[in-house]
Amino acid sequence: MSEVTIQVRTAPRDRRFPTTNQTKHCWARYLEFHACSKVKGDDDPECEKFKRWYLSLCPEEWVENWDTLKEEGRFPGPE
Amino acid sequence: MNNILNFYPAVITTDVAENWQIGFQDPATPIMEGIINLHYDLMFFICVISVFVSWMLGRTLWHFEQNQNKIPSSLTHGTLIEMIWTVTPAFILLIIAVPSFSLLYAMDEIISPAITIKTLGHQWYWSYEYSDYLNEDDDSINYDSYMIPEEDLEIGQFRLLEVDNRMVIPINTHIRVIVTAADVLHSWAVPSFRSKCDAIPGRLNQTSLFIKREGVYYGQCSEICGINHGFMPIVVEATSLPNYVSWISNKLNE
Ligand SMILES: [Cu+2]
């Protein structure tokens, strides 16, 4: 059995999204990661944090869908 | 899946509806405790008002019955009495609005969460995603939770309420639950937590949980979602944080 250290942490509360509806929270974190990785690269610790947060907030199916759209150049957001 | 509580039979409590129940299920969150207290506080006002109104009505019918009052009263209005019976109920409403609003705002309060769990409604089962943690292959925890059909139930299990894979959460921890749906509207509801959150395709709804005691909590889909709406129950197993962490690491290593 390999050793996995579990850190109990998650996407923090964001003042931009104070309501029950968190759809845009997930979307914003996804965009923020890609904006960040464009400048600093995928493995930058700053960007990695955004990735962790959008993975926490967005359903897996959404993320897979957006990743595919990005690969195909059909992503409906800022590239 | 290993249900952690199976190793500790002494702490099993079943928070589930009883036959002919008319009251609440036992609360497991501070908010549900608040709701139950407000309910009983309001019950006091309801009882006082009902008794008073019935008594007034009864007296009026008894004393002003037509055989005793050959000549009907011609009184049509009285400013003072009308002021009293308008201002008094308004004042009572104002008084009970105070605890009601404070509870309402307490429910919406999102305290910085330590854990995010996503729950997705499907036709007709729930699935849970724990994406705060990744294993070496960058996989997160993700599983479906189906109802156990009647013929597969074991002794002591609840008909139409038991599931194969429970949602597992730690106690005394602020948890963010993101509720959404993959196909049609559903609603994720657990009475002991006062949780009832609509699951809407394309939208992420957030609700928070803070569980005060270990136990197994039962709920059901609460938005009519098709033919098997009644057969997609919710089971939540609340355990201590160390137990939760070891459950997570076991799951990640599967
Ligand atoms: Cu449903």
Side-chain angles (χ1 to χ4, degrees), chain B residues 186 221 223 225 229 232:
Chain B
H186 300 270
C221 179
E223 180 67 55
C225 60
H229 165 62
M232 48 180 295

Side-chain angles (χ1 to χ4, degrees), chain B residues 17-180:
Chain B
E18 290 166 26
N19 288 340
W20 306 105
Q21 179 173 357
I22 52 168
F24 293 105
Q25 293 179 33
D26 291 344
T29 61
I31 291 293
M32 191 59 200
E33 287 173 356
I35 289 173
I36 292 175
N37 286 336
L38 179 74
H39 169 84
Y40 288 120
D41 292 347
L42 294 189
M43 228 24 158
F44 168 79
F45 287 94
I46 290 173
C47 292
V48 170
I49 293 168
S50 320
V51 168
F52 176 71
V53 170
S54 314
W55 180 73
M56 291 290 276
L57 202 61
R59 265 185 73 88
T60 313
L61 290 171
W62 182 259
H63 289 289
F64 298 92
E65 183 256 337
Q66 62 170 342
N67 292 326
Q68 294 177 46
N69 293 277
K70 298 289 184 207
I71 304 145
S73 165
S74 61
L75 185 81
T76 55
H77 62 270
T79 310
L80 181 68
I81 192 75
E82 281 169 16
M83 295 274 278
I84 291 169
W85 75 44
T86 308
V87 171
T88 315
F91 189 68
I92 294 171
L93 284 177
L94 270 177
I95 292 172
I96 63 181
V98 174
S100 179
F101 271 102
S102 68
L103 192 61
L104 198 63
Y105 287 115
M107 284 191 205
D108 280 346
E109 189 91 9
I110 300 289
I111 296 138
S112 246
I115 290 165
T116 303
I117 299 167
K118 284 164 279 176
T119 163
L120 283 83
H122 302 260
Q123 278 176 320
W124 289 275
Y125 60 95
W126 292 95
S127 66
Y128 299 100
E129 292 181 6
Y130 295 67
S131 315
D132 288 346
Y133 330 95
L134 298 172
N135 63 14
E136 299 99 84
D137 307 329
D138 274 359
D139 290 326
S140 59
I141 299 163
N142 189 341
Y143 58 88
D144 298 338
S145 174
Y146 282 91
M147 187 189 77
I148 297 178
E150 213 173 322
E151 57 271 22
D152 296 343
L153 285 179
E154 282 160 30
I155 287 176
Q157 290 193 313
F158 299 107
R159 184 179 151 268
L160 306 186
L161 281 177
E162 223 71 51
V163 298
D164 53 359
N165 295 307
R166 295 164 170 176
M167 176 188 183
V168 176
I169 54 172
I171 57 164
N172 295 332
T173 309
H174 288 286
I175 302 163
R176 172 201 280 132
V177 185
I178 299 270
V179 183
T180 185

Side-chain angles (χ1 to χ4, degrees), chain A residues 1-2 4 6-13 19-23 25-26 55-62, chain B residues 110 113-116 118 129 131-134 136 140 142 176 180 202-206 245 248-249 252-253:
Chain A
M1 196 171 109
S2 56
V4 189
I6 305 289
Q7 268 183 289
V8 179
R9 60 178 181 185
T10 191
R13 190 178 58 156
T19 55
T20 300
N21 187 352
Q22 293 288 303
T23 320
H25 191 176
C26 140
L55 286 176
S56 286
L57 293 166
C58 307
E60 239 154 80
E61 203 190 320
W62 294 21
Chain B
I110 300 289
I115 290 165
T116 303
K118 284 164 279 176
E129 292 181 6
S131 315
D132 288 346
Y133 330 95
L134 298 172
E136 299 99 84
S140 59
N142 189 341
R176 172 201 280 132
T180 185
R203 173 177 162 135
L204 307 177
N205 275 339
Q206 168 177 267
V245 171
I248 290 285
S249 52
L252 280 176
N253 285 323

